[in-house]
Amino acid sequence: MLELRPNCECCGVDLPAASVAARICSFECTFCAACTDGVLGGRCPNCGGELVRRPIRPAEKLARFPAATVRKVKPEGCVAA
Ligand SMILES: [Zn+2]
Ligand SMILES: [Zn+2]
């Protein structure tokens, strides 16, 4: 099951479960659309894999399967992979 991490790992912006701006790689490294399309060039800086839009979990499922709350941010920010 997807963790639905709460923020962009590069810039720290909030990415709530309902956000259509969230992007993830196959390992669920999580970024915002602006970082993905900008500095990252569509590639995960951690694993080199492709970043795709994170699907929205239906709201009625979130109560039973809540999104992750642990924030992970690169202190140095992101550079192009
Ligand atoms: Zn970002
Ligand atoms: Zn990755």
Side-chain angles (χ1 to χ4, degrees):
M1 186 173 77
L2 286 175
E3 286 186 30
L4 301 175
R5 295 176 189 172
N7 64 285
C8 174
E9 208 173 297
C10 288
C11 69
V13 72
D14 286 342
L15 294 170
S19 174
V20 295
R23 303 287 181 271
I24 58 172
C25 77
S26 71
F27 295 101
E28 298 188 50
C29 308
T30 303
F31 305 97
C32 70
C35 289
T36 297
D37 297 340
V39 65
L40 299 179
R43 293 275 151 192
C44 175
N46 300 327
C47 69
E50 66 179 321
L51 292 169
V52 299
R53 193 177 77 81
R54 187 177 69 185
I56 306 297
R57 183 167 300 165
E60 71 271 19
K61 303 292 185 195
L62 278 172
R64 205 173 142 204
F65 304 100
T69 55
V70 177
R71 299 180 73 89
K72 183 179 173 187
V73 182
K74 294 176 176 299
E76 73 279 15
C78 283
V79 293

